[in-house]
Amino acid sequence: MTQGTGAARGGSEGELPEHAAAHIVWDWNGTLLHDIHVVLEASNAAFRELGMEPITLERYRELFRVPVPRFYERLLGRKPSPAEWQVLDATFHRHYGQRVLEAGLTEGVEELLAGWLAAGRTQSLCSLAPHEDLVRLLGRHGIERRFVRVDGAVGPNGGGKAAQMARHLEALRALPKAADPARTVVIGDALDDADAAAHVGAGAVLYTGGSHSRASLRSAGVPVVDTLAEAVGLAEEIAVG
C-alpha cells in the first residue's frame, strides 16, 4: 500500500457512508496500538548502551516529550551529543522493531472502530511511524479497512506531527466524503497530538495509556481520559454536538 491509499472503507460491507457527520483522526503508537511496554524496554536497552540506569514507566511518562531529543535532554540534564543521539536512536529502533509484534491493540479497539463506522461516521489514521511499517501492522491486526486514509511518515518529517496532520487533513478534504476540521477530533496519547489538532482547527482528546503522564496531558487544556471508549464518547460530543 502506498501512502494514503488506505485499505479501510468502513462498515460491514466495506463501503463508506454517503455523508459523514463527524470524523476521528486516530494516533497509532500508544493509542490504538498498546505498545508502551515495548517502547519502555527499547528505551532502557538504548540507555544501557550509554551506561545509564533503566527508568520506570512512571518516570518515562513524566519526562517524555517530542521531538525525542527533548526527552533525552530532560533525562540526561543536557543535550545528547551527536554520537550519543546516534546510539540512542539506532538502539531504540532496533529493539523496538524486534519486539513490536508482541504488542496488541488497546482493549476494545475493534469494537470502537466498527461502532463509529456503523453510526455513519468516518475515521482515519495519522502517525509518525514509518508508513510501510504502519500499513504492515494494520494488516496484521486486521483493521486496515476501517480507515478512509492512512498516513505514516515517509522520508524526512519536517514539522513533526502538526505538519503531518495538516497534510493529512488536506488529503481528507479531497475525498468524496470530505472531513470538516470543525467536526473532526484527534485521539492520541501525546501532547503533540493536541498541538496537531489545534494546528488544523480540530478538537482533541488525549488518552493516558501511552507515553505521557496524566499531569503532562492535562497541560494541553483538552479532555484527558483513561480509556478509548471514553475518548470516543467525548469525540462524539465534540464533533456531533
Side-chain angles (χ1 to χ4, degrees):
M1 184 188 302
T2 57
Q3 186 182 30
T5 61
R9 291 295 182 266
S12 60
E13 298 298 324
E15 296 296 332
L16 287 175
E18 283 300 318
H19 301 288
H23 185 86
I24 289 175
V25 178
W26 291 96
D27 174 55
W28 177 240
N29 300 102
T31 303
L32 292 179
L33 184 69
H34 182 62
D35 65 346
I36 187 61
H37 57 294
V38 179
V39 169
L40 181 64
E41 290 171 4
S43 296
N44 280 328
F47 302 154
R48 284 194 298 272
E49 291 292 311
L50 296 185
M52 299 164 57
E53 293 294 321
I55 63 173
T56 64
L57 178 57
E58 181 180 28
R59 183 66 170 159
Y60 180 94
R61 285 173 165 162
E62 176 187 344
L63 293 176
F64 186 75
R65 293 293 185 277
V66 289
V68 175
R70 289 180 57 200
F71 166 52
Y72 293 143
E73 183 176 350
R74 288 164 65 88
L75 184 65
L76 292 167
R78 59 174 174 79
K79 290 183 178 181
S81 69
E84 288 173 328
W85 164 250
Q86 283 192 335
V87 169
L88 289 166
D89 188 55
T91 306
F92 172 86
H93 283 98
R94 183 172 69 254
H95 281 265
Y96 182 86
Q98 292 169 351
R99 302 292 298 275
V100 67
L101 295 183
E102 300 173 13
L105 297 176
T106 300
E107 183 178 358
V109 160
E110 294 97 330
E111 294 81 4
L112 290 170
L113 296 179
W116 186 260
L117 292 174
R121 298 159 190 158
T122 57
Q123 56 202 340
S124 58
L125 181 58
C126 181
S127 172
L128 293 181
H131 184 73
E132 294 303 323
D133 293 346
L134 175 61
V135 169
R136 186 162 51 249
L137 284 171
L138 289 174
R140 179 181 178 86
H141 290 289
I143 60 172
E144 70 276 17
R145 290 183 58 81
R146 298 300 188 187
F147 307 101
V148 296
R149 185 175 177 90
V150 171
D151 280 316
V154 177
N157 191 45
K161 192 66 173 280
Q164 177 89 333
M165 188 67 69
R167 293 189 291 268
H168 184 73
L169 264 292
E170 185 63 29
L172 289 176
R173 281 195 285 269
L175 295 176
K177 292 84 179 178
D180 178 0
R183 307 194 77 181
T184 295
V185 177
V186 176
I187 297 179
D189 71 309
L191 293 174
D192 63 329
D193 293 305
D195 291 342
H199 182 72
V200 297
V205 179
L206 298 180
Y207 165 60
T208 61
S211 59
H212 284 52
S213 68
R214 173 177 286 275
S216 294
L217 294 178
R218 290 184 65 181
S219 70
V222 301
V224 176
V225 298
D226 295 319
T227 69
L228 293 185
E230 293 176 271
V232 171
L234 282 172
E236 183 173 14
E237 293 180 15
I238 295 168
V240 179

